[in-house]
Short mmCIF file of all heavy atoms in Angstrom, two decimals:
data_model
loop_
_atom_site.label_atom_id
_atom_site.label_comp_id
_atom_site.label_asym_id
_atom_site.label_seq_id
_atom_site.Cartn_x
_atom_site.Cartn_y
_atom_site.Cartn_z
N MET A 1 -101.91 178.58 121.81
CA MET A 1 -102.60 178.99 123.03
C MET A 1 -103.58 177.85 123.40
O MET A 1 -104.34 177.37 122.53
CB MET A 1 -103.36 180.28 122.76
CG MET A 1 -104.16 180.80 123.91
SD MET A 1 -103.34 181.35 125.41
CE MET A 1 -102.15 182.52 124.78
N ASP A 2 -103.54 177.48 124.63
CA ASP A 2 -104.36 176.40 125.15
C ASP A 2 -105.83 176.85 125.13
O ASP A 2 -106.19 177.89 125.69
CB ASP A 2 -103.93 176.03 126.53
CG ASP A 2 -104.57 174.80 127.10
OD1 ASP A 2 -105.69 174.40 126.60
OD2 ASP A 2 -104.05 174.20 128.00
N HIS A 3 -106.67 176.02 124.52
CA HIS A 3 -108.11 176.34 124.45
C HIS A 3 -108.75 176.46 125.82
O HIS A 3 -109.61 177.30 126.03
CB HIS A 3 -108.80 175.26 123.61
CG HIS A 3 -110.26 175.48 123.44
ND1 HIS A 3 -110.77 176.51 122.69
CD2 HIS A 3 -111.35 174.83 123.97
CE1 HIS A 3 -112.07 176.50 122.75
NE2 HIS A 3 -112.48 175.49 123.50
N ARG A 4 -108.30 175.66 126.77
CA ARG A 4 -108.82 175.71 128.14
C ARG A 4 -108.51 177.07 128.81
O ARG A 4 -109.30 177.59 129.56
CB ARG A 4 -108.31 174.56 128.98
CG ARG A 4 -108.83 173.21 128.49
CD ARG A 4 -108.17 172.10 129.25
NE ARG A 4 -106.73 172.09 128.85
CZ ARG A 4 -105.83 171.35 129.35
NH1 ARG A 4 -106.11 170.51 130.33
NH2 ARG A 4 -104.57 171.38 128.91
N LEU A 5 -107.34 177.60 128.49
CA LEU A 5 -106.95 178.88 129.07
C LEU A 5 -107.85 179.98 128.50
O LEU A 5 -108.29 180.89 129.25
CB LEU A 5 -105.48 179.19 128.78
CG LEU A 5 -104.95 180.53 129.30
CD1 LEU A 5 -105.07 180.58 130.82
CD2 LEU A 5 -103.51 180.74 128.87
N LEU A 6 -108.16 179.94 127.24
CA LEU A 6 -109.04 180.93 126.63
C LEU A 6 -110.43 180.92 127.23
O LEU A 6 -111.14 181.95 127.23
CB LEU A 6 -109.16 180.72 125.11
CG LEU A 6 -107.95 181.16 124.29
CD1 LEU A 6 -108.13 180.79 122.83
CD2 LEU A 6 -107.71 182.66 124.41
N GLU A 7 -110.85 179.80 127.76
CA GLU A 7 -112.16 179.70 128.35
C GLU A 7 -112.24 180.40 129.71
O GLU A 7 -113.34 180.84 130.11
CB GLU A 7 -112.59 178.24 128.52
CG GLU A 7 -112.87 177.55 127.20
CD GLU A 7 -113.24 176.09 127.37
OE1 GLU A 7 -113.40 175.65 128.50
OE2 GLU A 7 -113.34 175.40 126.31
N ILE A 8 -111.12 180.54 130.40
CA ILE A 8 -111.15 181.09 131.77
C ILE A 8 -110.60 182.49 131.87
O ILE A 8 -110.95 183.17 132.82
CB ILE A 8 -110.44 180.15 132.77
CG1 ILE A 8 -108.96 179.97 132.41
CG2 ILE A 8 -111.16 178.83 132.87
CD1 ILE A 8 -108.19 179.23 133.44
N ILE A 9 -109.77 182.91 130.93
CA ILE A 9 -109.26 184.29 131.03
C ILE A 9 -110.29 185.26 130.40
O ILE A 9 -111.07 184.87 129.55
CB ILE A 9 -107.87 184.46 130.45
CG1 ILE A 9 -107.84 184.13 128.95
CG2 ILE A 9 -106.85 183.67 131.21
CD1 ILE A 9 -106.54 184.42 128.29
N ALA A 10 -110.20 186.53 130.81
CA ALA A 10 -111.14 187.53 130.32
C ALA A 10 -110.37 188.84 130.13
O ALA A 10 -109.32 189.05 130.68
CB ALA A 10 -112.27 187.74 131.30
N CYS A 11 -110.99 189.70 129.34
CA CYS A 11 -110.47 191.04 129.13
C CYS A 11 -110.38 191.78 130.44
O CYS A 11 -111.36 191.82 131.19
CB CYS A 11 -111.34 191.79 128.13
SG CYS A 11 -110.87 193.53 127.92
N PRO A 12 -109.24 192.39 130.80
CA PRO A 12 -109.17 193.09 132.07
C PRO A 12 -109.96 194.38 132.10
O PRO A 12 -110.21 194.93 133.17
CB PRO A 12 -107.67 193.38 132.20
CG PRO A 12 -107.13 193.39 130.79
CD PRO A 12 -107.99 192.39 130.05
N VAL A 13 -110.42 194.87 130.93
CA VAL A 13 -111.14 196.10 130.87
C VAL A 13 -112.66 195.86 131.03
O VAL A 13 -113.31 196.44 131.93
CB VAL A 13 -110.86 196.86 129.56
CG1 VAL A 13 -111.66 198.15 129.45
CG2 VAL A 13 -109.38 197.16 129.42
N CYS A 14 -113.22 194.98 130.17
CA CYS A 14 -114.67 194.78 130.19
C CYS A 14 -115.06 193.41 130.71
O CYS A 14 -116.23 193.12 130.86
CB CYS A 14 -115.26 194.95 128.79
SG CYS A 14 -114.80 193.63 127.64
N HIS A 15 -114.07 192.55 131.00
CA HIS A 15 -114.33 191.19 131.49
C HIS A 15 -115.00 190.31 130.43
O HIS A 15 -115.59 189.28 130.78
CB HIS A 15 -115.09 191.16 132.79
CG HIS A 15 -114.50 192.08 133.83
ND1 HIS A 15 -113.29 191.77 134.46
CD2 HIS A 15 -114.88 193.26 134.32
CE1 HIS A 15 -113.00 192.74 135.29
NE2 HIS A 15 -113.93 193.66 135.22
N GLY A 16 -114.90 190.71 129.17
CA GLY A 16 -115.47 189.90 128.10
C GLY A 16 -114.51 188.83 127.60
O GLY A 16 -113.38 188.71 128.08
N LYS A 17 -115.01 188.03 126.67
CA LYS A 17 -114.24 186.94 126.10
C LYS A 17 -113.10 187.48 125.23
O LYS A 17 -113.25 188.48 124.57
CB LYS A 17 -115.13 186.06 125.23
CG LYS A 17 -115.47 184.73 125.87
CD LYS A 17 -116.12 183.85 124.84
CE LYS A 17 -116.30 182.42 125.28
NZ LYS A 17 -115.36 181.84 126.11
N LEU A 18 -112.00 186.74 125.22
CA LEU A 18 -110.86 187.01 124.37
C LEU A 18 -110.71 185.92 123.34
O LEU A 18 -111.00 184.77 123.58
CB LEU A 18 -109.57 187.13 125.18
CG LEU A 18 -109.55 188.26 126.23
CD1 LEU A 18 -108.34 188.03 127.14
CD2 LEU A 18 -109.49 189.60 125.56
N SER A 19 -110.23 186.31 122.17
CA SER A 19 -109.91 185.32 121.11
C SER A 19 -108.42 185.44 120.79
O SER A 19 -107.81 186.51 120.98
CB SER A 19 -110.78 185.53 119.89
OG SER A 19 -110.55 186.79 119.35
N TYR A 20 -107.84 184.35 120.35
CA TYR A 20 -106.40 184.31 120.06
C TYR A 20 -106.11 184.51 118.61
O TYR A 20 -106.69 183.86 117.76
CB TYR A 20 -105.82 182.95 120.52
CG TYR A 20 -104.35 182.87 120.37
CD1 TYR A 20 -103.49 183.78 120.98
CD2 TYR A 20 -103.78 181.85 119.60
CE1 TYR A 20 -102.13 183.69 120.85
CE2 TYR A 20 -102.38 181.75 119.45
CZ TYR A 20 -101.57 182.68 120.08
OH TYR A 20 -100.24 182.57 119.95
N ASP A 21 -105.23 185.48 118.33
CA ASP A 21 -104.75 185.74 116.95
C ASP A 21 -103.35 185.15 116.89
O ASP A 21 -102.38 185.76 117.35
CB ASP A 21 -104.74 187.28 116.73
CG ASP A 21 -104.17 187.61 115.35
OD1 ASP A 21 -103.77 186.72 114.60
OD2 ASP A 21 -104.15 188.84 115.03
N LYS A 22 -103.27 183.96 116.33
CA LYS A 22 -102.02 183.20 116.29
C LYS A 22 -100.97 183.94 115.42
O LYS A 22 -99.79 183.99 115.80
CB LYS A 22 -102.24 181.82 115.72
CG LYS A 22 -101.02 180.93 115.78
CD LYS A 22 -101.38 179.54 115.31
CE LYS A 22 -100.20 178.62 115.42
NZ LYS A 22 -100.50 177.24 115.06
N GLU A 23 -101.39 184.53 114.33
CA GLU A 23 -100.48 185.23 113.41
C GLU A 23 -99.69 186.35 114.11
O GLU A 23 -98.54 186.53 113.91
CB GLU A 23 -101.25 185.78 112.23
CG GLU A 23 -100.38 186.41 111.17
CD GLU A 23 -101.21 186.89 109.96
OE1 GLU A 23 -102.08 186.13 109.52
OE2 GLU A 23 -100.98 188.03 109.55
N ASN A 24 -100.42 187.12 114.95
CA ASN A 24 -99.80 188.27 115.61
C ASN A 24 -99.44 187.96 117.09
O ASN A 24 -98.95 188.84 117.77
CB ASN A 24 -100.73 189.47 115.57
CG ASN A 24 -100.92 189.94 114.16
OD1 ASN A 24 -99.93 190.10 113.42
ND2 ASN A 24 -102.14 190.19 113.78
N SER A 25 -99.74 186.75 117.55
CA SER A 25 -99.52 186.34 118.94
C SER A 25 -100.11 187.36 119.92
O SER A 25 -99.42 187.93 120.76
CB SER A 25 -97.99 186.19 119.18
OG SER A 25 -97.79 185.56 120.41
N GLU A 26 -101.43 187.55 119.73
CA GLU A 26 -102.18 188.49 120.57
C GLU A 26 -103.52 187.90 121.00
O GLU A 26 -104.09 187.09 120.26
CB GLU A 26 -102.45 189.81 119.82
CG GLU A 26 -101.25 190.57 119.44
CD GLU A 26 -101.53 191.79 118.61
OE1 GLU A 26 -102.46 191.74 117.70
OE2 GLU A 26 -100.91 192.81 118.84
N LEU A 27 -104.01 188.36 122.10
CA LEU A 27 -105.39 188.07 122.50
C LEU A 27 -106.23 189.30 122.20
O LEU A 27 -105.85 190.43 122.55
CB LEU A 27 -105.43 187.79 124.03
CG LEU A 27 -104.79 186.46 124.41
CD1 LEU A 27 -104.62 186.38 125.93
CD2 LEU A 27 -105.56 185.28 123.91
N ILE A 28 -107.36 189.06 121.50
CA ILE A 28 -108.18 190.13 121.02
C ILE A 28 -109.49 190.26 121.79
O ILE A 28 -110.17 189.26 122.00
CB ILE A 28 -108.53 189.89 119.52
CG1 ILE A 28 -107.26 189.64 118.70
CG2 ILE A 28 -109.36 191.03 118.94
CD1 ILE A 28 -106.30 190.82 118.64
N CYS A 29 -109.79 191.48 122.20
CA CYS A 29 -111.09 191.79 122.82
C CYS A 29 -111.85 192.56 121.73
O CYS A 29 -111.51 193.71 121.42
CB CYS A 29 -110.97 192.61 124.07
SG CYS A 29 -112.59 193.09 124.71
N LYS A 30 -112.88 191.95 121.18
CA LYS A 30 -113.65 192.59 120.09
C LYS A 30 -114.52 193.71 120.66
O LYS A 30 -114.81 194.67 119.90
CB LYS A 30 -114.46 191.52 119.35
CG LYS A 30 -113.63 190.55 118.60
CD LYS A 30 -114.44 189.53 117.87
CE LYS A 30 -113.52 188.56 117.15
NZ LYS A 30 -114.25 187.53 116.45
N LEU A 31 -114.95 193.62 121.87
CA LEU A 31 -115.82 194.65 122.43
C LEU A 31 -115.08 195.98 122.64
O LEU A 31 -115.58 197.04 122.32
CB LEU A 31 -116.42 194.19 123.76
CG LEU A 31 -117.38 193.03 123.70
CD1 LEU A 31 -117.78 192.59 125.09
CD2 LEU A 31 -118.63 193.43 122.90
N ASP A 32 -113.85 195.91 123.18
CA ASP A 32 -113.08 197.10 123.44
C ASP A 32 -112.13 197.46 122.31
O ASP A 32 -111.46 198.49 122.37
CB ASP A 32 -112.26 196.91 124.74
CG ASP A 32 -113.10 196.87 125.97
OD1 ASP A 32 -114.07 197.63 126.10
OD2 ASP A 32 -112.84 195.98 126.82
N ARG A 33 -112.04 196.56 121.30
CA ARG A 33 -111.12 196.78 120.15
C ARG A 33 -109.69 196.91 120.67
O ARG A 33 -108.96 197.84 120.27
CB ARG A 33 -111.54 197.94 119.31
CG ARG A 33 -112.93 197.93 118.78
CD ARG A 33 -113.22 196.89 117.74
NE ARG A 33 -112.28 196.93 116.63
CZ ARG A 33 -111.98 195.90 115.89
NH1 ARG A 33 -112.57 194.78 116.06
NH2 ARG A 33 -111.11 196.03 114.87
N LEU A 34 -109.30 195.98 121.57
CA LEU A 34 -107.96 195.99 122.10
C LEU A 34 -107.25 194.66 121.80
O LEU A 34 -107.90 193.59 121.75
CB LEU A 34 -107.96 196.16 123.63
CG LEU A 34 -108.42 197.51 124.14
CD1 LEU A 34 -108.54 197.49 125.67
CD2 LEU A 34 -107.49 198.64 123.69
N ALA A 35 -105.93 194.73 121.61
CA ALA A 35 -105.13 193.53 121.39
C ALA A 35 -104.07 193.46 122.51
O ALA A 35 -103.31 194.42 122.69
CB ALA A 35 -104.44 193.55 120.05
N PHE A 36 -104.08 192.35 123.22
CA PHE A 36 -103.13 192.15 124.32
C PHE A 36 -102.02 191.20 123.85
O PHE A 36 -102.34 190.14 123.32
CB PHE A 36 -103.83 191.54 125.54
CG PHE A 36 -104.88 192.46 126.12
CD1 PHE A 36 -106.20 192.38 125.70
CD2 PHE A 36 -104.55 193.43 127.04
CE1 PHE A 36 -107.17 193.22 126.23
CE2 PHE A 36 -105.53 194.28 127.57
CZ PHE A 36 -106.79 194.16 127.16
N PRO A 37 -100.74 191.53 124.04
CA PRO A 37 -99.68 190.68 123.56
C PRO A 37 -99.54 189.38 124.35
O PRO A 37 -99.91 189.30 125.53
CB PRO A 37 -98.42 191.54 123.76
CG PRO A 37 -98.76 192.46 124.88
CD PRO A 37 -100.24 192.70 124.74
N VAL A 38 -99.01 188.36 123.64
CA VAL A 38 -98.65 187.09 124.29
C VAL A 38 -97.13 187.01 124.09
O VAL A 38 -96.68 186.88 122.97
CB VAL A 38 -99.39 185.90 123.66
CG1 VAL A 38 -98.91 184.59 124.32
CG2 VAL A 38 -100.88 186.04 123.81
N ARG A 39 -96.37 187.06 125.20
CA ARG A 39 -94.97 187.07 125.11
C ARG A 39 -94.40 185.78 125.72
O ARG A 39 -94.68 185.51 126.89
CB ARG A 39 -94.35 188.28 125.86
CG ARG A 39 -94.76 189.57 125.18
CD ARG A 39 -94.03 190.78 125.80
NE ARG A 39 -94.54 192.00 125.25
CZ ARG A 39 -95.04 193.01 125.94
NH1 ARG A 39 -95.05 192.94 127.26
NH2 ARG A 39 -95.50 194.08 125.34
N ASP A 40 -93.62 185.05 124.93
CA ASP A 40 -93.06 183.78 125.41
C ASP A 40 -94.14 182.86 125.95
O ASP A 40 -93.94 182.16 126.92
CB ASP A 40 -91.99 184.00 126.46
CG ASP A 40 -90.81 184.83 125.95
OD1 ASP A 40 -90.42 184.58 124.77
OD2 ASP A 40 -90.30 185.67 126.68
N GLY A 41 -95.33 182.90 125.29
CA GLY A 41 -96.42 182.00 125.69
C GLY A 41 -97.23 182.50 126.87
O GLY A 41 -98.15 181.83 127.34
N ILE A 42 -96.92 183.72 127.39
CA ILE A 42 -97.58 184.25 128.56
C ILE A 42 -98.43 185.43 128.17
O ILE A 42 -97.92 186.44 127.64
CB ILE A 42 -96.58 184.63 129.65
CG1 ILE A 42 -95.76 183.43 130.07
CG2 ILE A 42 -97.30 185.28 130.87
CD1 ILE A 42 -94.57 183.73 130.90
N PRO A 43 -99.74 185.41 128.38
CA PRO A 43 -100.60 186.56 128.06
C PRO A 43 -100.28 187.76 128.97
O PRO A 43 -100.15 187.57 130.17
CB PRO A 43 -102.04 186.06 128.31
CG PRO A 43 -101.92 184.57 128.41
CD PRO A 43 -100.52 184.28 128.85
N VAL A 44 -100.11 188.89 128.38
CA VAL A 44 -99.87 190.14 129.13
C VAL A 44 -101.20 190.91 129.12
O VAL A 44 -101.48 191.67 128.19
CB VAL A 44 -98.73 190.98 128.52
CG1 VAL A 44 -98.47 192.21 129.32
CG2 VAL A 44 -97.46 190.11 128.40
N LEU A 45 -101.96 190.74 130.19
CA LEU A 45 -103.30 191.30 130.24
C LEU A 45 -103.32 192.63 131.06
O LEU A 45 -104.01 192.78 132.02
CB LEU A 45 -104.28 190.30 130.83
CG LEU A 45 -104.47 189.02 130.01
CD1 LEU A 45 -105.38 188.07 130.75
CD2 LEU A 45 -104.98 189.34 128.62
N LEU A 46 -102.48 193.54 130.58
CA LEU A 46 -102.43 194.86 131.20
C LEU A 46 -102.90 195.87 130.17
O LEU A 46 -102.46 195.89 129.01
CB LEU A 46 -101.00 195.20 131.61
CG LEU A 46 -100.32 194.25 132.61
CD1 LEU A 46 -98.85 194.55 132.79
CD2 LEU A 46 -101.05 194.35 133.95
N GLU A 47 -103.81 196.74 130.60
CA GLU A 47 -104.37 197.72 129.64
C GLU A 47 -103.30 198.62 129.05
O GLU A 47 -103.37 198.92 127.84
CB GLU A 47 -105.46 198.56 130.35
CG GLU A 47 -106.20 199.47 129.40
CD GLU A 47 -107.33 200.24 130.05
OE1 GLU A 47 -107.53 200.10 131.29
OE2 GLU A 47 -108.00 200.97 129.33
N ASN A 48 -102.32 199.01 129.81
CA ASN A 48 -101.27 199.87 129.26
C ASN A 48 -100.30 199.16 128.34
O ASN A 48 -99.53 199.79 127.65
CB ASN A 48 -100.52 200.57 130.40
CG ASN A 48 -99.74 199.63 131.29
OD1 ASN A 48 -100.06 198.44 131.35
ND2 ASN A 48 -98.75 200.11 131.99
N GLU A 49 -100.39 197.81 128.25
CA GLU A 49 -99.55 197.06 127.30
C GLU A 49 -100.36 196.70 126.07
O GLU A 49 -99.79 196.19 125.12
CB GLU A 49 -99.08 195.77 127.99
CG GLU A 49 -98.09 195.95 129.07
CD GLU A 49 -96.72 196.28 128.56
OE1 GLU A 49 -96.32 195.80 127.47
OE2 GLU A 49 -95.99 197.03 129.26
N SER A 50 -101.64 196.97 126.05
CA SER A 50 -102.47 196.65 124.91
C SER A 50 -102.33 197.67 123.80
O SER A 50 -101.80 198.78 124.02
CB SER A 50 -103.92 196.54 125.31
OG SER A 50 -104.44 197.83 125.67
N ARG A 51 -102.76 197.29 122.60
CA ARG A 51 -102.79 198.25 121.51
C ARG A 51 -104.22 198.34 120.99
O ARG A 51 -104.96 197.34 120.99
CB ARG A 51 -101.81 197.88 120.37
CG ARG A 51 -102.18 196.68 119.61
CD ARG A 51 -101.18 196.43 118.45
NE ARG A 51 -101.60 195.23 117.72
CZ ARG A 51 -102.40 195.25 116.69
NH1 ARG A 51 -102.89 196.41 116.22
NH2 ARG A 51 -102.75 194.15 116.05
N ALA A 52 -104.59 199.53 120.58
CA ALA A 52 -105.95 199.74 120.04
C ALA A 52 -106.02 199.18 118.64
O ALA A 52 -105.09 199.37 117.82
CB ALA A 52 -106.28 201.22 120.02
N LEU A 53 -107.08 198.48 118.33
CA LEU A 53 -107.30 197.92 117.01
C LEU A 53 -108.09 198.99 116.17
O LEU A 53 -108.90 199.74 116.73
CB LEU A 53 -108.13 196.64 117.06
CG LEU A 53 -107.39 195.49 117.79
CD1 LEU A 53 -108.36 194.35 117.97
CD2 LEU A 53 -106.21 195.08 116.99
N PRO A 54 -107.87 198.99 114.86
CA PRO A 54 -108.61 199.94 114.03
C PRO A 54 -110.09 199.56 114.05
O PRO A 54 -110.43 198.38 114.18
CB PRO A 54 -108.00 199.78 112.63
CG PRO A 54 -107.31 198.44 112.69
CD PRO A 54 -106.91 198.17 114.11
N THR A 55 -110.95 200.54 113.84
CA THR A 55 -112.36 200.27 113.78
C THR A 55 -112.69 199.59 112.47
O THR A 55 -111.92 199.68 111.49
CB THR A 55 -113.19 201.57 113.93
OG1 THR A 55 -112.82 202.42 112.87
CG2 THR A 55 -112.95 202.23 115.26
N GLU A 56 -113.81 198.95 112.40
CA GLU A 56 -114.25 198.25 111.15
C GLU A 56 -114.34 199.19 109.99
O GLU A 56 -114.13 198.80 108.85
CB GLU A 56 -115.58 197.54 111.41
CG GLU A 56 -115.54 196.47 112.44
CD GLU A 56 -114.68 195.26 112.01
OE1 GLU A 56 -114.67 194.92 110.82
OE2 GLU A 56 -114.02 194.69 112.88
N ASP A 57 -114.67 200.46 110.21
CA ASP A 57 -114.83 201.42 109.16
C ASP A 57 -113.51 201.73 108.43
O ASP A 57 -113.50 202.12 107.30
CB ASP A 57 -115.41 202.77 109.70
CG ASP A 57 -116.78 202.55 110.25
OD1 ASP A 57 -117.46 201.58 109.85
OD2 ASP A 57 -117.19 203.38 111.08
N ASN A 58 -112.39 201.55 109.17
CA ASN A 58 -111.09 201.93 108.60
C ASN A 58 -110.46 200.79 107.78
O ASN A 58 -109.39 201.00 107.23
CB ASN A 58 -110.10 202.28 109.73
CG ASN A 58 -110.51 203.57 110.39
OD1 ASN A 58 -111.28 204.35 109.88
ND2 ASN A 58 -109.99 203.81 111.58
N LYS A 59 -111.11 199.65 107.71
CA LYS A 59 -110.48 198.53 106.98
C LYS A 59 -110.72 198.58 105.50
O LYS A 59 -111.58 199.13 104.97
CB LYS A 59 -111.01 197.20 107.53
CG LYS A 59 -110.40 196.90 108.85
CD LYS A 59 -110.76 195.49 109.29
CE LYS A 59 -110.00 195.15 110.55
NZ LYS A 59 -110.26 193.83 110.96
#
């Protein structure tokens, strides 16, 4: 994932910063605990395509 792209895209829910999880090919919003898929190098920033991340207590 291009570092410059990460600087300009934002979470579609809260408009917060996203971080890239290379292992799972996902963009992570830590505030909303959502993971957005990256398919064929293209971020899919749709809330209905995201998956909920487990809370810190469940780890």
Side-chain angles (χ1 to χ4, degrees):
M1 178 65 55
D2 188 338
H3 180 69
R4 292 174 293 174
L5 180 60
L6 283 175
E7 291 178 9
I8 60 172
I9 61 174
C11 173
V13 178
C14 71
H15 308 289
K17 253 191 172 325
L18 296 170
S19 60
Y20 183 58
D21 177 358
K22 186 175 183 177
E23 184 177 314
N24 295 314
S25 191
E26 295 176 321
L27 291 169
I28 307 296
C29 176
K30 293 180 181 179
L31 294 174
D32 293 316
R33 305 291 307 154
L34 293 174
F36 297 92
V38 177
R39 296 187 185 126
D40 298 320
I42 301 169
V44 181
L45 298 176
L46 300 171
E47 187 175 2
N48 65 338
E49 291 285 327
S50 68
R51 70 177 180 90
L53 296 172
T55 61
E56 296 293 323
D57 297 338
N58 293 342
K59 285 188 173 183

